[in-house]
Amino acid sequence: MSLVGFEHVGMTSGDLDRTIAFYCDLMGLRLALRKPNVIFLDAGGGMLEVFGPADGATPSRDVPPGEAGMRHLTLAYSDVDAMINKLEAAGVPIVERPRNAHNTEMVRRVAFVRDPDGIMVELIERAPGR
């Protein structure tokens, strides 16, 4: 028995149409499946399984230091600066503008934005050879 690969991460959304518009129209993911209360968005190396809308959904909160949980979702792009310019023009909240990465063995450039539900999304350019 061996690992086949990364499949998906499950998350929730306050509005599936808004989530599709953000992740597919702006971020470049592909809608793989839509059912009344769940969507699967293909990111190329794995998927996002998004449930919603939850009654009375509140925006996502950041996981405080010292608390277990997911801190952000990361998507890789060929040009982070160009993606940030596109997202900024569309009114997406920019948390951190593109900069050189700290973990240069893995990542060359990095930036952070928030999705429509407040989830932190990291945009990266991979280091050469990655």
Side-chain angles (χ1 to χ4, degrees):
M1 173 175 18
S2 62
L3 177 66
V4 175
F6 179 79
E7 173 56 33
H8 68 266
V9 169
M11 54 193 269
T12 59
S13 165
D15 181 322
L16 290 178
D17 290 329
R18 185 181 66 192
T19 296
I20 291 168
F22 177 79
Y23 283 103
C24 295
D25 299 344
L26 290 175
M27 302 295 285
L29 281 72
R30 183 183 63 82
L31 179 63
L33 177 68
R34 181 170 190 160
K35 292 191 171 187
N37 288 319
V38 66
I39 57 175
F40 281 84
L41 305 177
D42 190 344
M47 292 196 213
L48 298 180
E49 177 185 30
V50 186
F51 294 91
D55 291 337
T58 58
S60 176
R61 69 176 178 88
D62 291 339
V63 176
E67 182 178 313
M70 292 191 56
R71 308 207 41 103
H72 57 264
L73 167 68
T74 304
L75 299 169
Y77 293 92
S78 59
D79 187 337
V80 167
D81 293 271
M83 273 304 296
I84 288 295
N85 289 339
K86 175 184 174 179
L87 296 173
E88 190 168 44
V92 172
I94 309 301
V95 175
E96 186 175 339
R97 299 202 60 76
R99 62 168 171 77
N100 292 333
H102 299 299
N103 302 313
T104 55
E105 304 86 358
M106 301 288 293
V107 178
R108 190 176 85 72
R109 299 276 289 158
V110 62
F112 291 87
V113 300
R114 294 226 183 248
D115 84 355
D117 289 298
I119 296 169
M120 185 81 73
V121 180
E122 179 181 25
L123 287 68
I124 67 158
E125 283 177 39
R126 292 185 175 129
R130 289 286 175 181

